[in-house]
Amino acid sequence: MTTLFDPLKLGDIALNNRIVMAPLTRNRALPGQVPGPLTVEYYTQRASAGLIIAEATQVSAMGQGYLDTPGIHSAEQVAGWRKVTDAVHAAGGRIILQLWHVGRISHTSLLPGGASPVSSTSRRPNAQCFTRDGFVDVSAPRALRDDELPGLIDDYRRAARNAIDAGFDGVEVHSANSYLLEQFLRDSVNDRSGPYGGPLENRARLLLEIMAAVVAEVGAGRTGVRLSPATTFCDTPLDSNPQALHSHVLDRLSALGIAFVHMIEGETGGERAPASVKPPIDYAALRARFNGGWIANNGYDRQMAMDAVASGGIDAVAFGRPFISNPDLVRRLRDNAPHNDLRADLMYGGGAAGYTDYPALGAA
Ligand code: PHB
């Protein structure tokens, strides 16, 4: 029987165990959106994870929606990330980068020249983002023209190349949690006509073109994607048929041969089976459509994770908040040891407190 502590191959990426660190926004990038020495220490402390999926990272300056989140579009950012990946690899870990564009979840004060956020639509959600002045309502977006989309696809391709040049073992394209690619996927947001709007095949086109470009650039064996069919984060209602939409996406991703899918089950950071999702998403049916590796996420505890991997339905489990407060989460899961408490007020922004000062077992 497979356990959480057995090795796993996700495409070309060899994991020592099936415990994955989920991508977590921590808002500690230095000026220029560059990861600094504290970020090196933070990820190195967590290198016993089978795989670290480093925090959501902008593919372009236009992709930013929160203060002090890192990028992967400048030479300084690549150099900063290189220090992170070298240190994680020296500690025996594996690390990939999550490629992010927030789309309409942004504010003019965060964007180059005070630009408007861009999206599939010009409709503004009732959502907030975090700026120099604290939480503020997001700015009204501008709908991207179809002739701008090749440039956007190229931003993802270049970001994937930069990630590999920075020493990452692969990339995860962020197509979840209300950000740009979900703004194209869902008919609750995407109000376009033409090749990228209307039927689900058209709404999935941008994601699939980006995935094909990333695969051509860095290889299918180093490419994954994150999806969240049931999440309504940031005033983003469900698609009218999330099961059909995601079935199509997974069929096509399976044909592309990508390394893994990272599936958020239920509402991100919240209920695993929200009653408002009717009919409920059939995650097992989605999994059955995809040939590659499958990482499941959202609210798993030790027993649930062990049972899920033992049943063979999924290959690995991603933990978010438990990895913030427990740098040695793998050992604690193996030994069934108690966890440190999360200091939620220190999650976003600041320095070492609540970031690199959580003790490992025996080091209190
Ligand atoms: C956030 O910054 O709050 C955030 C970022 C990426 C996610 C979810 C939340 O996928």
Side-chain angles (χ1 to χ4, degrees):
M1 205 167 65
T2 310
T3 83
L4 262 186
F5 309 101
D6 290 338
L8 173 67
K9 211 68 199 296
L10 285 177
D12 297 341
I13 311 166
L15 282 56
N16 286 327
N17 60 64
R18 291 151 184 262
I19 298 162
V20 174
M21 180 176 171
L24 295 156
T25 290
R26 306 303 311 275
N27 308 78
R28 281 162 170 93
L30 303 181
Q33 316 313 128
V34 175
L38 270 181
T39 300
V40 175
E41 185 181 352
Y42 165 74
Y43 283 116
T44 307
Q45 290 171 339
R46 288 157 181 77
S48 60
L51 180 67
I52 294 170
I53 306 175
E55 66 211 76
T57 295
Q58 291 94 236
V59 298
S60 67
M62 280 302 294
Q64 185 170 356
Y66 300 86
L67 191 67
D68 298 336
T69 52
I72 189 70
H73 51 87
S74 77
E76 294 71 29
Q77 293 159 359
V78 171
W81 280 119
R82 170 54 83 170
K83 297 192 177 109
V84 173
T85 63
D86 281 349
V88 168
H89 288 148
R94 297 280 182 279
I95 182 166
I96 68 174
L97 187 63
Q98 192 188 48
L99 303 182
W100 194 27
H101 191 308
V102 296
R104 66 176 185 165
I105 310 301
S106 189
H107 188 264
T108 53
S109 70
L110 294 166
L111 297 175
S116 297
V118 293
S119 182
S120 62
T121 176
S122 59
R123 287 180 298 162
R124 190 171 70 85
N126 181 14
Q128 297 209 309
C129 62
F130 191 69
T131 69
R132 195 68 64 196
D133 299 322
F135 279 100
V136 300
D137 288 345
V138 300
S139 304
R142 175 177 77 78
L144 284 161
R145 299 184 312 272
D146 287 349
D147 68 11
E148 294 178 278
L149 299 180
L152 183 70
I153 295 166
D154 212 48
D155 287 342
Y156 279 87
R157 183 195 58 70
R158 201 171 324 105
R161 168 52 49 197
N162 286 346
I164 299 302
D165 289 348
F168 284 99
D169 297 296
V171 294
E172 174 179 279
V173 173
H174 193 346
S175 186
N177 295 346
S178 82
Y179 298 116
L180 180 67
L181 297 178
E182 269 205 339
Q183 295 160 27
F184 273 82
L185 282 175
R186 293 190 182 187
D187 57 8
S188 59
V189 179
N190 181 333
D191 55 1
R192 307 171 77 81
S193 52
Y196 295 90
L200 64 87
E201 292 81 4
N202 285 2
R203 286 181 274 114
R205 190 182 308 282
L206 179 63
L207 169 62
L208 295 170
E209 289 181 351
I210 286 169
M211 295 305 293
V214 169
V215 162
E217 185 69 35
V218 305
R222 296 203 275 190
T223 303
V225 68
R226 197 174 203 213
L227 300 168
S228 61
T231 291
T232 57
F233 204 70
C234 293
D235 190 27
T236 303
L238 295 179
D239 187 75
S240 63
N241 192 342
Q243 192 79 32
L245 172 64
H246 288 80
S247 296
H248 169 72
V249 165
L250 288 162
D251 288 349
R252 300 292 296 275
L253 293 176
S254 200
L256 258 183
I258 62 167
F260 70 88
V261 165
H262 181 183
M263 180 61 70
I264 302 171
E265 298 168 343
E267 185 75 52
T268 306
E271 276 190 73
R272 288 183 44 79
S276 53
V277 183
K278 279 187 245 160
I281 309 282
D282 183 346
Y283 294 101
L286 293 180
R287 199 279 168 265
R289 303 185 90 100
F290 181 72
N291 287 329
W294 196 266
I295 305 171
N297 169 243
N298 203 25
Y300 277 80
D301 65 19
R302 179 175 186 272
Q303 193 62 51
M304 286 163 64
M306 293 198 304
D307 292 347
V309 167
S311 75
I314 66 167
D315 299 307
V317 177
F319 295 89
R321 286 166 293 195
F323 258 116
I324 293 181
S325 55
N326 300 281
D328 54 347
L329 183 66
V330 172
R331 178 175 168 202
R332 289 174 196 251
L333 291 173
R334 186 180 290 120
D335 297 353
N336 204 8
H339 292 190
N340 297 319
D341 290 333
L342 178 70
R343 285 169 286 162
D345 55 322
L346 300 175
M347 282 202 297
Y348 302 115
Y355 192 44
T356 53
D357 64 350
Y358 286 105
L361 278 173

Short mmCIF file of all heavy atoms in Angstrom, two decimals, residues 23-27 56 65-66 69 98 100 102 135 174 176-179 226 233-234 264 268 348, ligand 1:
data_model
loop_
_atom_site.label_atom_id
_atom_site.label_comp_id
_atom_site.label_asym_id
_atom_site.label_seq_id
_atom_site.Cartn_x
_atom_site.Cartn_y
_atom_site.Cartn_z
N PRO A 23 1.54 26.61 -2.63
CA PRO A 23 1.97 28.00 -2.83
C PRO A 23 1.25 28.92 -1.85
O PRO A 23 0.04 28.82 -1.68
CB PRO A 23 1.58 28.29 -4.28
CG PRO A 23 0.51 27.30 -4.62
CD PRO A 23 0.77 26.09 -3.78
N LEU A 24 2.01 29.81 -1.20
CA LEU A 24 1.46 30.66 -0.13
C LEU A 24 1.98 32.08 -0.29
O LEU A 24 3.20 32.31 -0.22
CB LEU A 24 1.91 30.09 1.23
CG LEU A 24 1.35 28.71 1.58
CD1 LEU A 24 2.25 27.99 2.58
CD2 LEU A 24 -0.07 28.83 2.12
N THR A 25 1.08 33.01 -0.48
CA THR A 25 1.45 34.43 -0.58
C THR A 25 1.89 34.94 0.79
O THR A 25 1.14 34.84 1.75
CB THR A 25 0.25 35.23 -1.12
OG1 THR A 25 0.06 34.89 -2.49
CG2 THR A 25 0.47 36.72 -1.02
N ARG A 26 3.11 35.50 0.87
CA ARG A 26 3.64 35.96 2.15
C ARG A 26 4.04 37.44 2.11
O ARG A 26 4.45 37.99 3.15
CB ARG A 26 4.84 35.09 2.58
CG ARG A 26 4.55 33.57 2.62
CD ARG A 26 3.38 33.18 3.54
NE ARG A 26 3.44 33.76 4.84
CZ ARG A 26 4.12 33.25 5.88
NH1 ARG A 26 4.78 32.11 5.74
NH2 ARG A 26 4.13 33.84 7.06
N ASN A 27 4.04 38.06 0.93
CA ASN A 27 4.25 39.51 0.80
C ASN A 27 5.53 39.99 1.47
O ASN A 27 5.53 40.99 2.20
CB ASN A 27 3.05 40.28 1.37
CG ASN A 27 1.74 39.81 0.79
OD1 ASN A 27 1.21 38.77 1.19
ND2 ASN A 27 1.22 40.53 -0.16
N ALA A 56 2.85 32.21 -5.40
CA ALA A 56 2.39 32.83 -6.64
C ALA A 56 3.30 34.02 -6.98
O ALA A 56 3.53 34.90 -6.14
CB ALA A 56 0.94 33.30 -6.48
N GLY A 65 -1.06 42.02 -8.05
CA GLY A 65 -2.29 42.50 -7.45
C GLY A 65 -2.22 42.70 -5.95
O GLY A 65 -3.22 43.05 -5.32
N TYR A 66 -1.07 42.43 -5.38
CA TYR A 66 -0.91 42.60 -3.94
C TYR A 66 0.48 43.18 -3.70
O TYR A 66 1.42 42.93 -4.47
CB TYR A 66 -1.02 41.26 -3.20
CG TYR A 66 -2.35 40.56 -3.39
CD1 TYR A 66 -2.55 39.73 -4.48
CD2 TYR A 66 -3.40 40.74 -2.48
CE1 TYR A 66 -3.77 39.07 -4.66
CE2 TYR A 66 -4.62 40.09 -2.65
CZ TYR A 66 -4.80 39.26 -3.74
OH TYR A 66 -5.99 38.62 -3.92
N THR A 69 4.61 41.18 -3.52
CA THR A 69 4.67 39.80 -4.02
C THR A 69 5.78 39.74 -5.07
O THR A 69 6.04 40.73 -5.77
CB THR A 69 3.32 39.37 -4.62
OG1 THR A 69 2.90 40.35 -5.59
CG2 THR A 69 2.26 39.23 -3.53
N GLN A 98 5.18 28.90 -8.95
CA GLN A 98 3.82 29.12 -9.44
C GLN A 98 3.77 30.43 -10.24
O GLN A 98 4.11 31.50 -9.75
CB GLN A 98 2.81 29.20 -8.28
CG GLN A 98 1.38 29.12 -8.84
CD GLN A 98 0.30 29.38 -7.83
OE1 GLN A 98 0.37 30.35 -7.08
NE2 GLN A 98 -0.72 28.54 -7.80
N TRP A 100 1.91 33.42 -12.07
CA TRP A 100 0.70 34.12 -11.65
C TRP A 100 0.46 35.40 -12.43
O TRP A 100 1.39 36.17 -12.68
CB TRP A 100 0.89 34.50 -10.18
CG TRP A 100 -0.27 34.95 -9.37
CD1 TRP A 100 -1.59 34.66 -9.53
CD2 TRP A 100 -0.19 35.76 -8.18
NE1 TRP A 100 -2.33 35.23 -8.52
CE2 TRP A 100 -1.50 35.91 -7.69
CE3 TRP A 100 0.86 36.36 -7.49
CZ2 TRP A 100 -1.79 36.65 -6.53
CZ3 TRP A 100 0.58 37.09 -6.34
CH2 TRP A 100 -0.73 37.24 -5.86
N VAL A 102 -2.79 38.20 -11.89
CA VAL A 102 -4.02 38.39 -11.12
C VAL A 102 -5.20 38.87 -11.96
O VAL A 102 -6.34 38.84 -11.51
CB VAL A 102 -3.82 39.39 -9.96
CG1 VAL A 102 -2.82 38.87 -8.95
CG2 VAL A 102 -3.42 40.76 -10.50
N PHE A 135 -5.96 47.47 2.63
CA PHE A 135 -6.93 46.86 1.73
C PHE A 135 -7.77 47.95 1.08
O PHE A 135 -8.30 48.83 1.76
CB PHE A 135 -7.82 45.87 2.48
CG PHE A 135 -7.16 44.55 2.67
CD1 PHE A 135 -6.56 44.21 3.88
CD2 PHE A 135 -7.10 43.62 1.64
CE1 PHE A 135 -5.93 43.00 4.05
CE2 PHE A 135 -6.47 42.40 1.79
CZ PHE A 135 -5.88 42.09 3.00
N HIS A 174 -0.81 29.06 -12.58
CA HIS A 174 -1.90 29.34 -11.64
C HIS A 174 -3.17 29.64 -12.44
O HIS A 174 -3.32 30.72 -13.02
CB HIS A 174 -1.51 30.55 -10.80
CG HIS A 174 -2.38 30.79 -9.60
ND1 HIS A 174 -3.60 30.17 -9.41
CD2 HIS A 174 -2.19 31.58 -8.51
CE1 HIS A 174 -4.12 30.58 -8.27
NE2 HIS A 174 -3.29 31.43 -7.70
N ALA A 176 -6.33 29.24 -10.98
CA ALA A 176 -7.28 29.03 -9.89
C ALA A 176 -7.57 30.35 -9.19
O ALA A 176 -7.04 31.41 -9.55
CB ALA A 176 -6.69 28.03 -8.90
N ASN A 177 -8.46 30.26 -8.19
CA ASN A 177 -8.64 31.31 -7.17
C ASN A 177 -8.97 32.70 -7.73
O ASN A 177 -8.53 33.70 -7.20
CB ASN A 177 -7.40 31.39 -6.28
CG ASN A 177 -7.22 30.13 -5.48
OD1 ASN A 177 -8.14 29.31 -5.40
ND2 ASN A 177 -6.06 29.94 -4.89
N SER A 178 -9.74 32.75 -8.81
CA SER A 178 -10.32 34.00 -9.32
C SER A 178 -9.35 34.83 -10.13
O SER A 178 -9.74 35.92 -10.57
CB SER A 178 -10.87 34.88 -8.19
OG SER A 178 -9.83 35.62 -7.58
N TYR A 179 -8.15 34.39 -10.35
CA TYR A 179 -7.19 35.23 -11.06
C TYR A 179 -7.36 35.11 -12.58
O TYR A 179 -8.33 34.53 -13.05
CB TYR A 179 -5.77 34.92 -10.55
CG TYR A 179 -5.68 35.24 -9.08
CD1 TYR A 179 -5.44 34.27 -8.12
CD2 TYR A 179 -5.91 36.54 -8.62
CE1 TYR A 179 -5.42 34.56 -6.76
CE2 TYR A 179 -5.89 36.85 -7.27
CZ TYR A 179 -5.64 35.87 -6.34
OH TYR A 179 -5.64 36.17 -5.01
N ARG A 226 -2.65 24.53 -11.57
CA ARG A 226 -3.53 24.51 -10.40
C ARG A 226 -4.92 24.97 -10.79
O ARG A 226 -5.07 25.99 -11.49
CB ARG A 226 -2.98 25.40 -9.29
CG ARG A 226 -3.60 25.10 -7.92
CD ARG A 226 -2.96 25.89 -6.81
NE ARG A 226 -3.15 25.25 -5.51
CZ ARG A 226 -3.28 25.91 -4.36
NH1 ARG A 226 -3.23 27.23 -4.33
NH2 ARG A 226 -3.45 25.26 -3.22
N PHE A 233 -13.84 32.82 -4.35
CA PHE A 233 -12.92 33.87 -3.91
C PHE A 233 -13.09 35.16 -4.75
O PHE A 233 -13.30 35.09 -5.97
CB PHE A 233 -11.53 33.24 -4.19
CG PHE A 233 -10.39 33.76 -3.40
CD1 PHE A 233 -10.28 33.49 -2.05
CD2 PHE A 233 -9.37 34.48 -4.02
CE1 PHE A 233 -9.18 33.93 -1.32
CE2 PHE A 233 -8.27 34.92 -3.31
CZ PHE A 233 -8.18 34.66 -1.96
N CYS A 234 -12.97 36.33 -4.12
CA CYS A 234 -12.92 37.61 -4.84
C CYS A 234 -14.12 37.83 -5.76
O CYS A 234 -13.96 38.27 -6.91
CB CYS A 234 -11.63 37.75 -5.64
SG CYS A 234 -10.15 37.89 -4.65
N ILE A 264 -7.60 22.04 -6.12
CA ILE A 264 -8.15 22.55 -4.86
C ILE A 264 -9.58 22.01 -4.74
O ILE A 264 -10.43 22.34 -5.58
CB ILE A 264 -8.15 24.09 -4.83
CG1 ILE A 264 -6.73 24.63 -5.01
CG2 ILE A 264 -8.78 24.59 -3.53
CD1 ILE A 264 -6.67 26.14 -5.22
N THR A 268 -11.32 27.43 -1.58
CA THR A 268 -9.92 27.61 -1.17
C THR A 268 -9.83 28.13 0.27
O THR A 268 -10.38 29.19 0.57
CB THR A 268 -9.21 28.58 -2.12
OG1 THR A 268 -9.38 28.10 -3.45
CG2 THR A 268 -7.73 28.70 -1.79
N TYR A 348 0.81 37.88 6.19
CA TYR A 348 1.03 38.75 5.02
C TYR A 348 1.91 39.94 5.38
O TYR A 348 1.50 40.80 6.14
CB TYR A 348 -0.30 39.25 4.48
CG TYR A 348 -1.25 38.13 4.08
CD1 TYR A 348 -2.44 37.94 4.76
CD2 TYR A 348 -0.93 37.27 3.04
CE1 TYR A 348 -3.31 36.91 4.41
CE2 TYR A 348 -1.78 36.24 2.67
CZ TYR A 348 -2.97 36.07 3.36
OH TYR A 348 -3.81 35.05 3.01
C1 PHB B 1 -3.54 36.08 -1.89
O1 PHB B 1 -2.57 36.83 -2.08
O2 PHB B 1 -4.37 36.33 -1.03
C2 PHB B 1 -3.69 34.88 -2.72
C3 PHB B 1 -2.76 34.65 -3.70
C4 PHB B 1 -2.89 33.55 -4.50
C5 PHB B 1 -3.94 32.67 -4.30
C6 PHB B 1 -4.85 32.89 -3.30
C7 PHB B 1 -4.72 34.00 -2.51
O3 PHB B 1 -4.07 31.63 -5.09
#
